[in-house]
Amino acid sequence: MALETWLIYLIAVIGLSFAPGPNGLLALTHGAMYGHRKTLATICGGVLGFIVLIALSMFGIGAVLLASAEVLTVFKWLGGAYLIWLGLQLWRSPAISLGPIEGKAAKSHMALFRQGGLAAVSNPKVLLFFGAFLPQFINPEQPLLPQFIVMATTFAVVEFTVEYLLARIAYKIRPWLERSGKRFNQGCGGIFALLGASLPLAQ
């Protein structure tokens, strides 16, 4: 992967990781309930789940590209349209509410790990998102495995860092989300829509 492409991918992944989602919300709530150290199990489970989804998306797309490299262009335009739609949905979504969670009894690290992983892999929208997002950065003329390693590692490091920061500042960020979460959603939605409109045009 070219350095310029990777830098664009890094910026997009950072924006994606800060966007509201089940795993970010889980990191916030578990950070508030159990502390940031124990929440590491939740975060690691979610990151592993995301790596599995990235693998499914990339190698599924790669199998299609073996039949025709021109399919990548179709993937890019369809993916761009999906990102615009997702941005509009996020723009219209209400602010995140961190209400009380049932069953606040202490959970094992394995239970938290499993909950984080299930939150990632059980959301079909995540797989659809990766299917729309990743083709923008795949070079069909290069081997897929090295691209997967770079993209999955970059995403895992960024997602882990962001979720851990959310867990660390759970108590401080909670009032801000309840007060300004709507504008935050609109900002993230605007980023997604801009990505959807611009990435398919990139070479």
Side-chain angles (χ1 to χ4, degrees):
M1 177 180 286
L3 178 61
E4 296 82 0
T5 303
W6 179 80
L7 289 174
I8 296 173
Y9 175 75
L10 176 62
I11 294 171
V13 166
I14 292 173
L16 171 62
S17 296
F18 275 106
N23 286 82
L25 180 58
L26 204 58
L28 275 174
T29 53
H30 282 189
M33 290 166 57
Y34 307 119
H36 64 273
R37 291 182 180 177
K38 194 167 185 178
T39 305
L40 283 172
T42 307
I43 296 169
C44 288
V47 168
L48 180 60
F50 284 131
I51 291 175
V52 170
L53 292 179
I54 290 173
L56 290 174
S57 298
M58 284 193 69
F59 289 104
I61 293 167
V64 174
L65 291 179
L66 288 176
S68 172
E70 295 179 355
V71 174
L72 180 60
T73 302
V74 178
F75 266 100
K76 283 189 173 185
W77 284 101
L78 292 177
Y82 176 75
L83 291 178
I84 293 173
W85 177 85
L86 192 64
L88 293 174
Q89 296 299 309
L90 186 55
W91 180 283
R92 298 166 54 188
S93 63
I96 292 176
S97 176
L98 297 178
I101 295 180
E102 299 287 339
K104 291 191 177 180
K107 293 184 178 181
S108 69
H109 286 85
M110 182 54 66
L112 295 178
F113 180 88
R114 186 166 53 248
Q115 191 170 356
L118 289 174
V121 301
S122 64
N123 186 352
K125 291 183 179 180
V126 175
L127 188 58
L128 287 173
F129 182 86
F130 281 139
F133 178 69
L134 297 177
Q136 319 296 335
F137 303 95
I138 293 175
N139 184 347
E141 298 178 358
Q142 299 294 327
L144 193 59
L145 182 59
Q147 295 183 76
F148 164 74
I149 293 173
V150 171
M151 295 169 75
T153 301
T154 301
F155 186 90
V157 171
V158 171
E159 183 70 18
F160 179 92
T161 302
V162 169
E163 288 192 23
Y164 183 67
L165 288 175
L166 290 175
R168 289 280 308 219
I169 62 176
Y171 285 109
K172 295 181 180 180
I173 201 173
R174 183 173 182 163
W176 180 84
L177 281 176
E178 293 176 349
R179 184 177 62 254
S180 305
K182 179 62 177 178
R183 289 192 296 273
F184 181 71
N185 288 354
Q186 290 175 342
C188 291
I191 291 173
F192 283 160
L194 183 61
L195 284 172
S198 61
L199 285 177
L201 300 176
Q203 297 298 320

